[in-house]
């Protein structure tokens, strides 16, 4: 192993309060009040200057406030510019989401709302001053965590120390995951992590609570498999016994309820356009909104949302249980408890297919309720479902099932594959080791757009098959391939993307609301961050 100069050993205990008493570093609430942290409750330093001022002036001002070298402030500014994807001088939720996906893919982009809230005082945009404050404070907190990890005080942490740390917190980490974590953090190929490598890797993770750290290290391989679905997390036996799994399910259900309810009007407009818009009936978002409001008023924009919310809990529970069973089958077949990413994807996809098969009738009801007219539900949901069964038969509750199952193919997988391909092609032709900000922005925009374009036709065909009997043209085909030919013949390729505008419009608010609520609920329930 190459020789590396270790920094001076840190003391076994670090004094935090004014009485110089030893503090357990596992208590994040105590860490937050450390006088080492600039801008903390005990700090005497003035708060950061906000507002629009020249960049060089801002750098000088904040360097003086924090006593940092010009080189350090320049590094902070460079990182700020990398995160400012649209280059408008501030960082917003769009910038953070895109930057996490491309710049630091080990931090899930779903954490962008939480990270924005940690950085910004108004939870809207992050100025350079706010970002510099976050970096300085967060690095200090990370230093305390690093010192607690570094049991032998040699200035480095390795696989054994990470595993020991996780064991102490009751969230055991396998040898393979610990080694993988070290490999990701290691920038020099020594299998040891110094303070700077640790800080660089965890700088944009929006927490310094030790249990949330190890929970993130254990569960950071969740794979997105669609707009509303994810492969469930792997929980240890100890976590299962403590009930952590159901806390995450409850938090996810509440977050999903708030998110879907908040964006229900856009979802209903999307469904209406998918079914009723055509080359002869030229509807757009604004005309659809006017028609829906004229027919049923403001309340009509939430039609179908009740069923959409009710199905969250059973769908999540079924998927979780099915995933656990599929995972055990794969483990038994290969004779090992360790699952590769592709094996988790197979287990998760199978679990998604099982849960969708069981709850799919509720999906059909949701679509039909979203398209119903005023007065058609006056006798209740049960009567509506029975009437649908008597009129169209049991098979109507599984219309669109095939394209729905095909939709389990992960949007995130398409997105990531295209992003990495474009990034690789750029580096090859430009002979650059890493693309610049504009190139990364272009790659991210293209990959996200292609991901949406690739998956949306299946969602449209599913909706049209679900609503075929009440559409303007009930003679259209009742099969997936027939629908594709029918739409292309009568409306062209653009017909496969009817309603995509409100779908794009609801993505950011849906994700933001979902994860802000999720974080708050799971903290209230005492569940570690996933």
């Amino acid at each position: 192993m190459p020789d590396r100069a270790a920094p001076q050993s840190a003391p076994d205990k670090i004094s935090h309060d004014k009485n110089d008493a030893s503090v357990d570093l596992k208590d994040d609430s105590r860490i937050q009040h450390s006088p080492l942290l600039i801008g903390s409750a005990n700090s005497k330093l003035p708060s950061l200057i906000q507002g629009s001022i020249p960049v060089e002036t801002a750098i000088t001002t904040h360097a003086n406030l924090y006593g940092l070298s010009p080189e350090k402030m320049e590094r902070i500014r460079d990182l700020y510019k990398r995160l400012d994807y649209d280059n408008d001088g501030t960082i917003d939720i769009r910038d953070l989401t895109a930057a996490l996906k491309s710049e630091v893919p080990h931090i899930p982009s779903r954490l962008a709302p939480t990270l924005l809230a940690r950085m910004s005082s108004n939870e809207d945009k992050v100025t350079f001053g706010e970002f510099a404050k976050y970096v300085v404070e967060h690095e200090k907190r990370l230093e305390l965590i690093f010192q607690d990890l570094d049991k032998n005080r040699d200035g480095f942490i390795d696989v054994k120390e990470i595993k020991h740390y996780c064991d102490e917190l009751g969230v055991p980490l396998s040898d393979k995951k610990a080694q993988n974590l070290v490999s990701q953090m290691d920038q020099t190929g020594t299998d040891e992590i110094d303070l700077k490598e640790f800080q660089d890797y965890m700088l944009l993770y929006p927490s310094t609570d030790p249990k949330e750290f190890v929970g993130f290290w254990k569960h950071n391989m969740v794979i997105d498999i669609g707009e509303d679905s994810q492969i469930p997390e792997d929980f240890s036996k100890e976590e299962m016994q403590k009930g952590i799994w159901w806390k995450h399910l409850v938090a996810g259900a509440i977050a999903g309820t708030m998110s879907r309810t908040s964006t229900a009007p856009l979802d209903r407009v999307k469904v209406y356009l998918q079914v009723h818009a055509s080359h002869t009936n030229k509807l757009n978002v604004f005309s659809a909104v006017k028609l829906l409001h004229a027919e049923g008023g403001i309340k009509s924009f939430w039609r179908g949302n009740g069923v959409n919310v009710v199905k969250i809990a059973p769908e999540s529970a079924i998927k979780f249980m099915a995933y656990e069973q599929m995972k055990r089958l794969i483990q038994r077949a290969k004779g090992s408890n360790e699952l590769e990413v592709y094996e988790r994807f197979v287990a998760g996809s199978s679990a998604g297919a099982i849960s969708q098969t069981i709850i799919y009738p509720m999906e059909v009801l949701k679509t039909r309720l979203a398209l119903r007219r005023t007065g058609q539900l006056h006798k209740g949901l049960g009567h509506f479902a029975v009437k649908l069964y008597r009129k169209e038969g049991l098979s109507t509750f599984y219309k669109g099932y095939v394209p729905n199952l095909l939709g389990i193919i992960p949007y995130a997988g398409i997105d990531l594959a295209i992003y990495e391909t474009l990034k690789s092609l750029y580096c090859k032709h430009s002979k650059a080791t890493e693309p610049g900000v504009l190139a990364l922005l272009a790659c991210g925009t293209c990959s996200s757009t292609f991901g949406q374009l690739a998956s949306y036709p299946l969602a449209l065909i599913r909706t049209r098959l679900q609503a075929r009997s009440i559409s303007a043209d009930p003679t259209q085909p009742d099969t997936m391939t027939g629908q594709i030919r029918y739409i292309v013949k009568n409306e062209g390729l653009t017909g496969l993307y009817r309603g995509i505008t409100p779908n794009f419009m609801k993505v950011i608010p849906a994700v933001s609301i979902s994860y802000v609520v999720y974080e708050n609920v799971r903290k209230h329930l005492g569940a570690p961050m996933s």
Side-chain angles (χ1 to χ4, degrees):
M1 180 182 300
D3 293 333
R4 299 173 67 172
Q8 292 182 350
S9 297
D12 288 344
K13 294 288 182 181
I14 297 176
S15 298
H16 286 58
D17 58 23
K18 58 187 177 184
N19 296 321
D20 201 35
S22 295
V23 176
D24 184 358
L25 293 179
K26 297 181 181 64
D27 186 353
D28 188 57
S29 63
R30 301 294 295 275
I31 291 176
Q32 291 177 355
H33 295 287
S34 167
L36 292 173
L37 307 184
I38 297 172
S40 67
N42 296 334
S43 176
K44 300 297 184 183
L45 289 176
S47 59
L48 287 162
I49 294 175
Q50 303 296 331
S52 298
I53 59 176
V55 174
E56 296 304 326
T57 304
I59 292 176
T60 303
T61 301
H62 293 95
N64 291 335
L65 279 175
Y66 292 135
L68 300 176
S69 66
E71 291 78 14
K72 177 64 177 290
M73 289 308 296
E74 187 67 27
R75 184 179 70 84
I76 293 176
R77 185 182 66 164
D78 287 342
L79 179 57
Y80 184 80
K81 288 172 67 177
R82 286 168 57 198
L83 298 181
D84 179 18
Y85 251 52
D86 56 12
N87 201 30
D88 66 349
T90 59
I91 299 172
D92 58 20
I93 188 65
R94 291 175 182 269
D95 293 326
L96 271 184
T97 302
L100 290 181
K101 187 183 295 184
S102 61
E103 299 284 339
V104 279
H106 64 279
I107 305 293
S109 59
R110 66 177 185 272
L111 294 180
T114 306
L115 182 58
L116 183 72
R118 296 289 170 90
M119 291 180 177
S120 174
S121 57
N122 60 13
E123 299 187 11
D124 182 19
K125 290 189 175 183
V126 183
T127 64
F128 176 75
E130 289 173 326
F131 181 71
K133 179 176 184 289
Y134 168 83
V135 171
V136 172
E137 292 187 354
H138 207 61
E139 285 188 344
K140 290 292 185 182
R141 293 188 177 100
L142 291 172
E143 184 175 359
L144 298 179
I145 298 291
F146 182 87
Q147 290 168 350
D148 207 25
L149 275 159
D150 184 18
K151 296 299 182 184
N152 62 6
R153 305 302 180 193
D154 66 349
F156 304 101
I157 56 176
D158 55 23
V159 171
K160 286 186 178 180
E161 287 173 319
I162 287 177
K163 281 181 57 63
H164 179 68
Y165 186 74
C166 293
D167 288 340
E168 281 187 332
L169 293 174
V171 187
L173 206 64
S174 67
D175 291 340
K176 187 171 184 178
K177 281 199 172 183
Q179 182 60 58
N180 183 53
L181 181 63
V182 169
S183 299
Q184 289 184 50
M185 290 189 194
D186 185 16
Q187 299 173 9
T188 57
T190 59
D191 276 344
E192 286 187 322
I193 310 303
D194 62 21
L195 175 59
K196 183 180 181 302
E197 290 171 327
F198 181 74
Q199 288 173 327
D200 288 347
Y201 188 80
M202 298 302 298
L203 183 61
L204 296 180
Y205 181 71
S207 176
T208 47
D209 179 84
K211 281 207 169 183
E212 292 184 354
F213 256 55
V214 300
F216 167 67
W217 290 342
K218 184 178 180 66
H219 301 304
N220 68 345
M221 293 301 290
V222 175
I223 303 172
D224 190 346
I225 57 169
E227 183 178 316
D228 299 318
S229 303
Q230 284 186 333
I231 292 179
E233 296 180 15
D234 285 314
F235 293 104
S236 65
K237 290 183 179 179
E238 184 178 355
E239 289 172 317
M240 293 287 284
Q241 292 170 353
K242 288 182 178 179
I244 290 175
W245 65 274
W246 71 259
K247 293 178 181 179
H248 279 283
L249 286 182
V250 170
I254 295 174
T257 297
M258 295 296 292
S259 174
R260 295 185 189 191
T261 301
S262 300
T263 59
L266 286 170
D267 194 58
R268 191 181 181 216
V269 171
K270 179 192 76 174
V271 171
Y272 189 83
L273 290 174
Q274 286 177 331
V275 174
H276 295 300
S278 66
H279 67 291
T280 56
N281 187 20
K282 298 185 181 299
L283 291 172
N284 56 35
V285 174
F286 298 107
S287 58
V289 168
K290 287 181 181 179
L291 286 171
L292 292 173
H293 182 267
E295 194 279 326
I298 292 293
K299 289 183 179 179
S300 70
F301 288 99
W302 278 266
R303 284 180 186 168
N305 185 60
V307 174
N308 199 28
V309 166
V310 168
K311 73 184 181 70
I312 293 174
E315 181 180 7
S316 299
I318 293 167
K319 185 163 54 182
F320 176 79
M321 290 184 289
Y323 176 70
E324 287 297 312
Q325 294 302 317
M326 293 302 300
K327 190 175 68 172
R328 289 191 181 96
L329 286 174
I330 295 173
Q331 289 170 337
R332 197 176 301 127
K334 67 181 295 191
S336 171
N337 289 330
E338 287 291 327
L339 294 185
E340 301 294 338
V341 172
Y342 76 90
E343 291 169 331
R344 292 193 62 219
F345 174 71
V346 170
S349 298
S350 301
I354 292 169
S355 65
Q356 279 291 299
T357 301
I358 295 174
I359 62 93
Y360 191 74
M362 297 180 74
E363 191 75 44
V364 175
L365 274 178
K366 173 245 178 182
T367 299
R368 297 297 285 267
L369 287 170
L371 295 168
R372 72 179 173 84
R373 299 182 65 82
T374 301
Q376 290 183 330
L377 197 65
H378 65 286
K379 293 185 179 181
L381 178 60
H383 178 267
F384 184 86
V386 170
K387 184 179 178 181
L388 191 62
Y389 166 72
R390 288 175 177 172
K391 184 178 179 181
E392 302 180 35
L394 182 63
S395 62
T396 194
F397 292 101
Y398 280 90
K399 293 291 184 183
Y401 176 74
V402 174
N404 187 70
L405 276 189
L406 292 177
I408 293 176
I409 296 173
Y411 158 77
I414 298 170
D415 187 2
L416 182 60
I418 294 176
Y419 174 80
E420 291 298 333
T421 300
L422 292 176
K423 183 178 173 182
S424 176
L425 287 173
Y426 176 87
C427 291
K428 181 179 179 180
H429 288 287
S430 65
K431 297 182 179 179
T433 56
E434 196 67 27
V437 173
L438 291 178
L440 287 173
L441 175 60
C443 292
T445 302
C446 290
S447 64
S448 179
T449 302
F450 278 116
Q452 286 270 10
L453 293 175
S455 60
Y456 189 80
L458 287 171
L460 179 135
I461 291 166
R462 176 195 66 189
T463 303
R464 287 210 171 185
L465 289 173
Q466 290 172 342
R468 173 176 166 272
S469 64
I470 60 171
S471 66
D473 183 11
T475 62
Q476 60 185 289
D478 61 353
T479 64
M480 183 182 71
T481 54
Q483 274 285 341
I484 294 174
R485 289 193 295 268
Y486 176 85
I487 293 171
V488 172
K489 178 182 178 181
N490 291 281
E491 303 179 45
L493 290 175
T494 56
L496 294 171
Y497 295 93
R498 298 286 183 189
I500 198 170
T501 300
N503 190 64
F504 276 127
M505 290 170 64
K506 78 171 188 173
V507 170
I508 289 180
V511 171
S512 302
I513 294 168
S514 179
Y515 285 102
V516 168
V517 175
Y518 177 82
E519 287 300 298
N520 282 281
V521 174
R522 66 100 193 156
K523 283 180 182 177
H524 182 74
L525 294 175
M529 181 180 285
S530 59

